[in-house]
Amino acid sequence: MLQTLQDRFVTNFIADDRWKYILEGLGVTLRVTFFAVLIGIVIGFMVAVVRSTYDRTGKLKILNLFCKLYLTVIRGTPVVVQLLIIYFVIFGSSDISKTLVAVMAFGLNSGAYVAEIFRSGIMSIDNGQFEAGRSLGFNYVQTMLHIIMPQAFKNVLPALGNEFIVLLKETSVSGYIALQDLTKAGDIIRSRTYDAFMPLIAVALIYLAMVLIFTKLVNMLERRLRSSDH
Amino acid sequence: MTINRGETLIKVEDVHKIFGELHALNGVSNEIKKGEVVVVVGPSGSGKSTFLRSLNLLEVPSRGHIYFEGVDITDKNVDINKHRQKMGMVFQHFNLFPHKTILQNITLAPIKLLGKSKEEAEACGMKLLERVGLEAKANAYPSQLSGGQKQRIAIVRALAMEPDVMLFDEPTSALDPEMVGEVLELMKQLAKEGMTMVVVTHEMGFAKEVASRVIFVDEGQIKEEGTPEEFFEHPKDPRLQEFLSKIL
């Protein structure tokens, strides 16, 4: 029994250096997730500021309309479909890196969710904080930057951490555009060795480990930011 | 432009404020002179808070003008942020910044807006904290303070900007009764030092003792004003007489 397990391990990972698929796939998954997170934060931040500025002051009406359209479309369609559209429709005729397409698709997708998370954070801050900032002479942007955002960020950190865990796992559909991410790597090994158990369980464990590490990091950051609450 | 004691600091000219159906301010005019302590009283919903909040344009008047140090701050082309730096405001619910320490609460605006160095701002901040006897709380967070302490810090935070006028919006209304005294005491000190103050409050004792002028606001209008003696001893407006009979 033990012997067969060992044999299967060797066949799936050692023979023909198949572990390299996993390692390279992991690299792709991490790269796509990392840059998608960055894009998601930037888009989400900007959309949230536009939306909450509109809610509070009635300014930026046109921009707000665009933001709402963006949120509706992104949140109303599956991420796989968005990925396929960006790859086959928007960049269908150009020779573009699949990693780049994945980064754009997942970043654009995540931005919509991050925007609503940030917006709920901004809205959760008492209006008195805003008035206190303005009464001291801070302008709208300074008040947002120094007073509202730091508090909002602290409030939404758990939701934000959760969004990034979801994003990390969502990149597993990258195989739809034949990008060899971690999931695709496991699938390639399965198709070579006709053994589903070993490669897929290995892939699952790696995702799980990454999520656990990430959760731990978010918790640590949260604890540090909570130091002002007693 | 320097304004001497007794000269007009804030001039309110026929100010109206309309919230949808509600005519919160209905043609208010007044002048606040440098060094004056003006106490604004009135029943709830009378527009007294709206009046105070329109002085630094937290409520933008629907009509009328407000001049601060000779400048029409209701003019769209005026940088209101510059003028607000000179108008300290204290709120009913303190509105300290919970994510910053007490000292950071005080130094944030002087550093970012007046361009003071961190050291300079902190030295000023510590001096102000010593004045209110809270220097030991410099590195505490607002959540660790009592209501009275929070409000004194809020006053200090406004003072750190070296304002020309202080606006108080029911500063003791959210406090436990035993903490009202310490806040009023600090406000009395400020008044004694010649700070121009506009105070919306229900503390009639404070009005009698400290005010140079008391204003009665009702239905969005100034119905009566006068020195505390005239105001409390010989009220003329029937609504004011009714109001005073209820609260005194």
Side-chain angles (χ1 to χ4, degrees):
Chain A
M1 174 70 190
L2 212 63
Q3 190 58 40
T4 45
L5 266 184
Q6 198 182 351
D7 287 346
R8 283 168 71 186
F9 186 85
V10 169
T11 325
N12 278 295
F13 301 121
I14 311 296
D16 295 340
D17 282 346
R18 292 201 172 105
W19 58 271
K20 278 188 176 163
Y21 286 116
I22 299 280
L23 193 67
E24 277 160 22
L26 177 61
V28 169
T29 291
L30 285 176
R31 260 201 307 280
V32 169
T33 306
F34 179 77
F35 289 107
V37 162
L38 287 189
I39 293 178
I41 288 181
V42 171
I43 294 179
F45 181 80
M46 292 192 304
V47 171
V49 168
V50 169
R51 298 263 291 132
S52 50
T53 301
Y54 174 76
D55 286 349
R56 210 186 293 262
T57 67
K59 287 176 188 161
L60 307 178
K61 203 169 173 181
I62 304 291
L63 268 177
N64 181 59
L65 224 59
F66 274 110
C67 290
K68 268 173 100 164
L69 182 70
Y70 160 74
L71 293 176
T72 307
V73 170
I74 295 292
R75 295 200 301 173
T77 54
V79 66
V80 182
V81 176
Q82 292 163 15
L83 181 69
L84 291 173
I85 288 176
I86 292 182
Y87 187 62
F88 289 111
V89 179
I90 297 177
F91 293 109
S93 51
S94 56
D95 183 27
I96 187 171
S97 140
K98 287 169 185 161
T99 310
L100 193 61
V101 168
V103 165
M104 280 193 283
F106 292 115
L108 215 57
N109 181 268
S110 180
Y113 294 94
V114 172
E116 289 301 272
I117 291 173
F118 272 146
R119 192 168 74 97
S120 74
I122 294 170
M123 289 320 211
S124 74
I125 304 302
D126 180 56
N127 200 38
Q129 291 291 309
F130 195 79
E131 291 187 341
R134 296 305 304 267
S135 78
L136 284 167
F138 287 108
N139 63 31
Y140 183 85
V141 175
Q142 290 168 322
T143 306
M144 275 293 183
L145 216 62
H146 298 305
I147 295 157
I148 307 298
M149 285 297 178
Q151 297 183 59
F153 181 72
K154 198 166 86 170
N155 287 354
V156 301
L157 198 60
L160 212 53
N162 190 51
E163 162 60 20
F164 296 144
I165 287 171
V166 170
L167 177 63
L168 171 72
K169 292 182 296 180
E170 257 179 4
T171 60
S172 63
V173 299
S174 299
Y176 270 92
I177 59 167
L179 177 65
Q180 292 191 13
D181 72 325
L182 181 58
T183 305
K184 189 75 186 168
D187 205 40
I188 289 172
I189 296 176
R190 182 189 59 78
S191 68
R192 302 276 153 84
T193 60
Y194 301 108
D195 182 358
F197 179 81
M198 275 284 169
L200 294 184
I201 293 296
V203 164
L205 285 177
I206 294 172
Y207 276 114
L208 184 63
M210 287 194 291
V211 168
L212 289 179
I213 292 170
F214 191 74
T215 308
K216 184 91 190 154
L217 288 175
V218 172
N219 285 344
M220 272 160 60
L221 183 60
E222 221 177 300
R223 254 202 310 279
R224 252 193 50 192
L225 289 177
R226 291 258 166 242
S227 64
S228 60
D229 301 343
H230 293 273
Chain B
M1 160 170 174
T2 356
I3 289 167
N4 297 315
R5 210 177 157 76
E7 289 178 2
T8 301
L9 188 67
I10 303 175
K11 186 171 163 203
V12 181
E13 217 176 67
D14 191 31
V15 163
H16 293 253
K17 177 70 188 184
I18 297 158
F19 298 106
E21 295 283 287
L22 178 72
H23 214 126
L25 289 181
N26 194 354
V28 172
S29 298
N30 210 272
E31 279 186 31
I32 289 149
K33 302 202 162 36
K34 193 167 172 71
E36 258 194 316
V37 177
V38 178
V39 171
V40 183
V41 300
S44 65
S46 60
K48 58 189 190 303
S49 272
T50 308
F51 167 69
L52 186 82
R53 289 158 54 82
S54 65
L55 295 182
N56 67 351
L57 254 59
L58 276 188
E59 302 291 356
V60 180
S62 313
R63 212 159 80 217
H65 297 273
I66 291 163
Y67 299 86
F68 175 59
E69 303 186 327
V71 179
D72 182 358
I73 55 174
T74 45
D75 184 339
K76 290 267 180 293
N77 300 318
V78 162
D79 180 9
I80 183 64
N81 301 309
K82 274 270 166 269
H83 297 284
R84 281 196 184 127
Q85 293 177 11
K86 292 275 144 209
M87 308 171 104
M89 186 156 194
V90 176
F91 300 87
Q92 181 177 356
H93 296 288
F94 330 128
N95 298 346
L96 294 179
F97 307 134
H99 62 301
K100 295 194 176 293
T101 66
I102 297 308
L103 192 57
Q104 286 168 345
N105 261 278
I106 299 169
T107 57
L108 181 71
I111 291 173
K112 302 282 180 200
L113 297 175
L114 302 181
K116 284 192 180 181
S117 71
K118 190 163 175 274
E119 292 72 31
E120 193 187 350
E122 285 185 347
C124 284
M126 284 312 292
K127 216 175 282 169
L128 284 165
L129 280 176
E130 274 163 37
R131 172 182 174 168
V132 294
L134 289 173
E135 66 272 25
K137 301 284 184 190
N139 295 314
Y141 284 93
S143 56
Q144 295 165 296
L145 269 55
S146 73
Q149 291 173 331
K150 280 183 199 166
Q151 195 60 299
R152 278 145 68 203
I153 295 301
I155 294 172
V156 163
R157 178 176 69 181
L159 288 177
M161 290 296 284
E162 296 166 23
D164 293 336
V165 59
M166 287 283 284
L167 311 175
F168 293 86
D169 191 2
E170 303 201 23
T172 57
S173 297
L175 294 176
D176 289 338
E178 76 267 25
M179 292 171 180
V180 170
E182 61 191 73
V183 172
L184 290 181
E185 196 48 49
L186 176 57
M187 290 168 63
K188 281 178 204 168
Q189 276 179 32
L190 284 179
K192 230 177 263 167
E193 288 162 18
M195 174 63 77
T196 312
M197 294 163 59
V198 185
V199 186
V200 170
T201 185
H202 297 292
E203 295 291 332
M204 295 303 148
F206 177 83
K208 281 179 185 165
E209 190 182 338
V210 185
S212 35
R213 187 152 56 95
V214 187
I215 291 179
F216 177 64
V217 176
D218 189 40
E219 293 168 330
Q221 289 176 322
I222 294 180
K223 290 284 173 71
E224 184 155 346
E225 62 177 310
T227 62
E229 295 80 49
E230 300 169 347
F231 190 89
F232 290 107
E233 304 305 326
H234 309 289
K236 292 174 210 75
D237 184 80
R239 290 278 297 168
L240 173 58
Q241 290 168 353
E242 187 192 334
F243 176 71
L244 290 176
S245 72
K246 273 186 201 151
I247 55 164
L248 289 179

